């Protein structure tokens, strides 16, 4: 009987792609993925080490799995294992093995060693197009680069993931083609900063033009675009191919020039508003998602009020707010005048509250119109059956959703894109009906 594993994954979409890669390698070496931890020979925790809360969650997962299944072997992988491998090897005995990101290709060998299973070094890994997909039906993440060359003072990603390395454009396009042939309808392009992509003379707009040559009815969604080197050539591609969604995920972090400078970012409120204005002038109906980092060292109430004024001018559709997390090894680690945690959390709450009417207003602008909806899950509710899905304005997992409750043919399937008419807003979600 082949050995089996159960994978518990934490963190962002990039970690999900890492998990899919580990699963593909294990499957290619004869392992099977168990439905639950109880029936698995090995439990793998693919950890996140980006901020303190994520690190704590990952460690607690290891402790909880060992408590519930003391007889099973646990392998800690991912960002936390990469960043603190030596410390964890001695301080976390509940983890029977540590697998750094640098060693991810050796997952089958490391797993076999833990459970006493011989490793077949001649067995090939599964091809990239055949990797398991952990995302919702019809959607897949395509990682075009790893690491980051920016030196943002608050960010530990370069310490964990290293400097920027870009995948070959041909390899990326081939992967996109394989995913489309497997029935994927939404390709989410990800990386620590996809705007920095370069390969053999191709930048991000050039890569998108190559992807646009692919045939099929699919979406391309761009995620994680650094504002300080945003390539406006993206807009040319979007104008020529509506399959490249007008969705702009640009983490601005702040608006105060003083705070942005301390964060080692070159932008300011004026530049960011000009960028948003340029995008909106070219791409009517452009959707904006951004993030704010509250409580950074040196942030005063005046800085925070400047951020709130900027928020009202920018009026993003979606906003994620985070309280600053002090991370070892980052340039901001030793900065003074860090606002108390209580104040940072209060500023986070106020920014989130200020965003609510903006998001409601932006959603209202989409009501009474026809849109394609990517169906994800059918629900049997008290008031009958309905579908959950997403419009072009909804990135996976982080934004609202579409609730499609009437006009169904009865043969709809998860992963399909169907035309719907929106007719109401429910909180941050959109109610819609199928168009026949």
């Amino acid at each position: 009987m082949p050995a089996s594993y159960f994978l518990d994954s934490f963190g962002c979409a990039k970690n999900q792609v890492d998990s899919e890669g580990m699963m593909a390698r294990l499957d290619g070496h004869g392992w099977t993925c168990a439905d639950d931890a109880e029936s698995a020979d090995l439990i793998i925790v693919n950890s996140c080490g980006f901020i303190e809360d994520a690190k704590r969650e990952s460690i607690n997962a290891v402790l909880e799995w060992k408590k519930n299944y003391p007889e099973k072997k646990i392998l800690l992988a991912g960002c936390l294992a990469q960043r603190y491998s030596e410390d964890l090897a001695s301080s976390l005995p509940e983890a029977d093995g540590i697998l750094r990101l640098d060693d991810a290709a050796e997952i089958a060998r490391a797993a076999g060693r833990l459970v006493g299973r011989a490793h077949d070094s001649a067995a090939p890994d599964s091809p990239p197009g055949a990797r398991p997909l952990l995302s919702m039906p019809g959607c897949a993440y395509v990682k075009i680069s790893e690491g980051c060359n920016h030196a943002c003072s608050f960010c530990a990603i370069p310490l964990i993931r290293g400097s920027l390395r870009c995948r070959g454009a041909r390899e990326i396009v081939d992967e996109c083609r394989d995913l489309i042939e497997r029935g994927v309808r939404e390709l989410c392009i990800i990386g620590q900063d996809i705007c920095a992509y370069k390969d053999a003379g191709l930048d991000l707009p050039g890569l998108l033009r190559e992807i646009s040559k692919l045939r099929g009815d699919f979406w391309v969604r761009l995620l994680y675009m650094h504002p300080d080197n945003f390539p406006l050539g993206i807009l040319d591609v979007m104008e020529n191919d509506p399959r490249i969604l007008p969705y702009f995920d640009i983490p601005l972090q702040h608006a105060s020039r003083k705070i942005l400078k301390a964060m080692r970012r070159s932008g300011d409120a004026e530049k960011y508003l000009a960028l948003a204005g340029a995008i909106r002038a070219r791409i009517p109906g452009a959707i904006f998602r951004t993030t704010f980092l509250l409580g950074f060292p040196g942030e005063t109430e005046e800085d925070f009020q400047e951020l709130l004024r900027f928020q009202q001018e920018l009026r993003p559709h979606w906003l994620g707010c985070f309280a600053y997390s002090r991370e070892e090894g980052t340039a901001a680690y030793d900065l003074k005048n860090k606002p108390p945690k209580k104040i940072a959390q209060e500023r986070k709450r106020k920014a989130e509250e200020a965003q609510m009417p903006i998001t409601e207003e932006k959603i209202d602008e989409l009501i009474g119109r026809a849109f394609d909806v990517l169906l994800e899950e059918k629900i049997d509710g008290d008031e009958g059956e309905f579908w959950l899905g997403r419009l072009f304005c909804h990135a996976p997992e982080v934004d609202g959703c579409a609730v499609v409750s009437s006009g169904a043919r009865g043969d709809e399937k998860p992963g399909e894109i169907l035309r719907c008419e929106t007719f109401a807003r429910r909180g941050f979600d959109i109610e819609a009906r199928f168009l026949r």
Side-chain angles (χ1 to χ4, degrees):
M1 177 180 292
S4 61
Y5 65 91
F6 177 79
L7 195 146
D8 190 8
S9 186
F10 293 85
C12 61
K14 293 178 280 292
N15 270 35
Q16 180 175 304
V17 175
D18 292 342
S19 293
E20 293 169 353
M22 286 191 288
M23 293 173 70
R25 288 189 173 95
L26 287 168
D27 296 348
H29 284 272
W31 289 70
T32 62
C33 181
D35 294 331
D36 52 57
E38 186 170 357
S39 57
D41 298 303
L42 174 69
I43 299 173
I44 302 171
V45 176
N46 188 20
S47 63
C48 179
F50 182 45
I51 59 176
E52 189 61 37
D53 287 347
K55 289 186 284 188
R56 188 180 303 111
E57 186 179 12
S58 297
I59 290 174
N60 287 341
V62 172
L63 298 176
E64 193 68 19
W65 285 125
K66 181 59 75 172
K67 177 183 176 182
N68 293 336
Y69 301 102
E71 75 287 357
K72 294 186 183 294
K73 298 296 184 180
I74 297 177
L75 177 63
L76 177 62
C79 292
L80 194 68
Q82 174 73 18
R83 192 174 181 192
Y84 301 108
S85 58
E86 294 183 5
D87 292 340
L88 291 172
S90 58
S91 65
L92 191 66
E94 291 80 3
D96 300 287
I98 307 288
L99 184 73
R100 292 165 51 94
L101 292 170
D102 296 344
D103 303 324
E106 296 296 317
I107 177 68
R109 188 185 304 277
R113 188 164 51 243
L114 284 179
V115 301
R117 180 180 187 271
H119 175 72
D120 182 5
S121 58
D125 289 341
S126 297
R131 78 174 197 260
L133 298 178
L134 301 177
S135 45
M136 293 296 286
C139 176
Y141 293 102
V142 178
K143 186 189 289 188
I144 65 171
S145 63
E146 183 65 276
C148 184
N149 286 343
H150 292 287
C152 299
S153 63
F154 58 84
C155 184
I157 285 178
L159 302 174
I160 301 170
R161 298 276 180 171
S163 58
L164 178 70
R165 290 99 63 205
C166 296
R167 293 176 62 195
R170 178 173 296 181
E171 177 186 347
I172 294 169
V173 173
D174 287 344
E175 180 180 2
C176 291
R177 181 185 296 105
D178 289 339
L179 289 168
I180 294 167
E181 291 175 353
R182 292 174 63 184
V184 169
R185 305 299 298 277
E186 179 182 44
L187 305 170
C188 293
I189 306 299
I190 62 171
Q192 273 70 42
D193 172 23
I194 64 173
C195 289
Y197 180 82
K198 298 281 186 184
D199 173 65
L202 281 182
D203 56 5
L204 180 60
L207 174 63
L208 294 177
R209 281 189 285 270
E210 292 301 309
I211 295 175
S212 287
K213 295 176 183 178
L214 296 175
R215 296 181 179 180
D217 182 14
F218 59 90
W219 293 348
V220 176
R221 188 182 301 276
L222 307 178
L223 300 176
Y224 317 124
M225 293 186 277
H226 197 290
D228 293 349
N229 62 336
F230 184 92
L232 291 174
I234 290 173
L235 308 183
D236 298 329
V237 187
M238 288 182 175
E239 288 177 328
N240 291 323
D241 189 346
R243 297 177 302 177
I244 313 297
L245 299 181
Y247 184 96
F248 297 87
D249 176 24
I250 307 176
L252 301 176
Q253 309 301 3
H254 218 282
S256 163
R257 184 174 298 177
K258 180 192 76 178
I259 296 300
L260 286 166
K261 183 177 180 180
M263 289 179 173
R264 294 188 175 178
R265 290 190 155 219
S266 61
D268 56 31
E270 183 179 357
K271 290 180 181 178
Y272 292 161
L273 289 172
L275 174 60
I279 292 172
R280 284 170 167 150
R282 292 274 305 276
I283 310 292
I287 303 297
F288 280 87
R289 161 169 277 280
T290 192
T291 55
F292 290 165
L293 181 59
L294 289 312
F296 189 80
E299 183 187 65
T300 63
E301 182 62 25
E302 182 179 357
D303 295 318
F304 177 60
Q305 291 301 321
E306 182 177 352
L307 181 61
L308 291 181
R309 290 191 295 271
F310 170 78
Q311 180 182 1
Q312 293 300 319
E313 290 188 69
L314 179 67
R315 305 192 74 75
H317 292 74
W318 308 104
L319 173 67
C321 294
F322 302 90
Y324 170 70
S325 175
R326 186 169 177 251
E327 296 297 318
E328 305 96 329
T330 62
Y333 185 77
D334 293 323
L335 292 181
K336 308 300 182 184
N337 301 320
K338 178 179 176 291
K341 185 175 181 179
K342 182 178 180 180
I343 291 179
Q345 291 293 340
E346 179 66 10
R347 290 173 180 170
K348 174 179 178 292
R349 182 188 64 80
K350 288 181 177 179
E352 290 171 340
E353 287 184 352
Q355 181 60 32
M356 292 175 66
I358 298 175
T359 295
E360 291 172 349
E361 171 196 304
K362 293 294 185 180
I363 294 175
D364 286 341
E365 294 174 357
L366 302 174
I367 304 304
R369 300 166 58 185
F371 294 101
D372 288 340
V373 175
L374 174 60
L375 301 181
E376 292 187 326
E377 184 178 9
K378 190 176 184 179
I379 305 293
D380 293 323
D382 295 336
E383 300 178 4
E385 296 180 344
F386 61 91
W387 280 91
L388 297 180
R390 292 184 290 107
L391 280 68
F392 80 103
C393 62
H394 299 134
E397 302 180 24
V398 293
D399 299 332
C401 68
V403 182
V404 189
S405 56
S406 61
R409 301 189 311 261
D411 60 348
E412 295 82 9
K413 297 180 177 62
E416 277 190 295
I417 294 179
L418 295 179
R419 198 70 172 172
C420 297
E421 179 186 28
T422 61
F423 63 86
R425 174 177 56 80
R426 181 191 298 179
F428 290 160
D429 296 333
I430 293 175
E431 295 194 70
R433 61 176 66 92
F434 291 108
L435 287 175
R436 295 181 182 274

